[in-house]
Amino acid sequence: MGQIGQFLPLVLIIVVFYFFMIRPQLKKTKEQKKFRENIKVGDKIVTIGGIHGKIADVGETTFMITVEGGVKLKIEKNAISMDASTLIGAEQK
C-alpha cells in the first residue's frame, strides 16, 4: 500500500484536472462544431473578431456574410464565434 499511497495524490490531481479542465473544453468544442455545421442562410452571427453579420451564402469551408451597409464579406467557417440572436440587447432587424 505504501507505493500506491505515494501515487494516489498524483492520480487524484489528474482526475480532477480532466473533469474540471479538459472535459468541459472538449464539450464546448463539440458544441461549437455542431453550431457551425447547422448555420443556414439568414442566420445572424458574430465572428471571432466581433463582426456582426447575416449569412448570405454557405460554402463548403466558407460563409458569405452581409454586414452593415450591405457590404459582403467572405469568411472561414472557423471564424464564426456565436449566434447573434442570443446576445442581450441584440438589434432587431
Side-chain angles (χ1 to χ4, degrees), residues 7-89:
F7 291 109
L8 188 60
L10 181 61
V11 170
L12 288 174
I13 289 171
I14 291 172
V15 168
V16 168
F17 185 75
Y18 174 77
F19 280 105
F20 286 105
M21 300 293 284
I22 297 171
R23 190 166 178 250
Q25 186 63 36
L26 292 174
K27 184 178 178 185
K28 183 178 178 182
T29 303
K30 185 178 178 181
E31 289 172 356
Q32 191 79 2
K33 183 178 178 185
K34 184 178 177 184
F35 166 70
R36 288 181 183 139
E37 290 173 352
N38 292 327
I39 293 176
K40 58 190 177 305
V41 175
D43 288 350
K44 293 181 181 180
I45 54 95
V46 179
T47 67
I48 291 172
I51 299 171
H52 292 243
K54 191 175 191 179
I55 302 293
D57 187 35
V58 178
E60 192 171 317
T61 60
T62 60
F63 290 116
M64 185 71 70
I65 65 170
T66 305
V67 295
E68 190 74 27
V71 177
K72 291 191 176 187
L73 301 172
K74 188 175 192 177
I75 61 170
E76 292 292 319
K77 285 189 174 183
N78 290 337
I80 303 292
S81 174
M82 68 176 89
D83 182 3
S85 64
T86 62
L87 296 175
I88 296 174

